[in-house]
Structures are given as C-alpha cells and as structure tokens.
Amino acid sequence: MNYWLMKSEPTAFSIDDLKNMPKQTEHWDGVRNYQARNMMRDQMKVGDQAFFYHSSCAVPGIVGMMEIVREGYPDHTAFDPQSKYFDDKSDPANPRWFMVDVKYIRHTKRVIPLAELKAHAALSDLPLVRKGNRLSMMPVSEDAWNYILQLEKRSMAET
DNA sequence: GCCAACGTTGGC
DNA sequence: GCCAACGTTGGC
C-alpha cells in the first residue's frame, strides 16, 4: 500500500465537506499540475491512504485521513467551459488531466500543524516541509506516515 | 498584503 | 533550446 498527502484549501473543499458528501466520497478534481497528474494517473491505487491537508488557512496542517477508492480517470471539469478548471487543450479523446476518487476515513484527533511537522527531523524528507515546495500532492513514506500517526497522539505541550 | 519559489508560456 | 515575463501557490 502507498501513502500520500493531498492539499486543499478549506474554503474551496474541506475535510468536513468530504465527510458530508454522499458516501463520504468525492472526486479530487481541478488538479492542473503535471507531477500531481502523473501521480493520480499512474501511481495511486485503490486502498492507498492519504492525509488530507488544509492549505492557505489560519493553521495549515494535516486534518484527517482518506482512502483512494477509484484509480485515475479523466477529469471531466477540463471539458466544461462553465468550470473554472476548464482547459480547452484537454481533448476528451486524449485527456490531459486526471483525478481519483477519495473516501473519508476520519479526522485526526487534532490538527497537526505544518509548523509542528517542520520541527521534526524525522520528517525532513517529506516534500511538504522542504523549502519552496508547492506540490499539491505528494507521496509519504511508510515511516513518515507512521511517525505522523504517533505525533497525532501527543498533545501540543509535548511538541 | 507581501513575497519567495516555482511552473508555464512564448518570442527568438 | 534558451530564457525573460508572467501567473500561481501558499506560508507568513
């Protein structure tokens, strides 16, 4: 099984929004970055788990977990002129952009802030904490995944 | 609101 | 293929 981290601005789509979806499942549309596209198209598998990360908000950080429930398929919002994600260079016969479906698993017991993740040397390989990284999704090693789950159990006072 | 970092675009 | 200009991301 592979592990991932996926970013979303909570004002656009939050973990609560995902929890409140029918079947607690939604497609992860609107990604317009080739590295992220390649991950969704080629690497994410049903059963993989991912951290849900809130970006561009008061406390950026990990807020929950979800599971990949459908593997990469064309992002239809690229074909819709009414969508803000419309891309006239994506041809339905040869789609440029892909998405996956994700299902809510649970909230983390507390928000795990980016600032806290940055403070742990054990996570220094995580692209999220590296300077200048702007990837909207990224792989998480099994070690990093487990480490973060241990962090979750601590109180802020211990960090 | 600022700005650093990075990706994309397009002229040449 | 180079690279300057521009747009976007996202923390602070």
Side-chain angles (χ1 to χ4, degrees), chain A residues 11-154:
Chain A
T11 53
F13 186 71
S14 72
I15 187 157
D16 294 310
D17 293 331
L18 178 61
K19 186 181 182 182
N20 291 330
M21 292 300 294
K23 299 184 187 178
Q24 300 188 326
T25 296
E26 179 61 306
H27 42 264
W28 201 268
D29 62 19
V31 173
R32 298 291 179 266
N33 168 278
Y34 288 105
Q35 262 184 281
R37 187 279 308 269
N38 292 347
M39 290 179 215
M40 292 198 290
R41 188 189 59 186
D42 307 329
Q43 295 178 253
M44 288 187 182
K45 300 300 175 190
V46 168
D48 285 0
Q49 293 190 4
F51 287 125
F52 196 125
Y53 178 92
H54 280 176
S55 65
S56 297
C57 55
V59 183
I62 290 170
V63 294
M65 271 91 87
M66 52 195 170
E67 179 180 352
I68 308 301
V69 293
R70 181 174 173 184
E71 289 169 16
Y73 63 107
D75 181 343
H76 56 75
T77 63
F79 311 136
D80 175 7
Q82 305 304 315
S83 170
K84 66 173 176 172
Y85 300 124
F86 176 62
D87 179 359
D88 63 4
K89 293 191 278 305
S90 186
D91 174 1
N94 183 22
R96 172 177 294 197
W97 305 115
F98 284 70
M99 59 188 181
V100 296
D101 286 357
V102 295
K103 181 174 185 180
Y104 174 85
I105 296 178
R106 66 174 178 87
H107 282 61
T108 45
K109 294 180 183 66
R110 59 183 181 89
V111 175
I112 307 170
L114 174 62
E116 183 181 342
L117 297 171
K118 281 181 172 175
H120 287 267
L123 299 175
S124 58
D125 287 338
L126 193 64
L128 183 74
V129 304
R130 293 223 284 265
K131 189 179 182 186
N133 178 73
R134 299 185 315 160
L135 270 179
S136 63
M137 61 185 60
M138 65 195 71
V140 176
S141 70
E142 186 171 9
D143 284 350
W145 180 272
N146 290 327
Y147 190 90
I148 291 167
L149 290 185
Q150 289 302 311
L151 275 188
E152 181 195 6
K153 296 176 185 172
R154 301 191 200 176

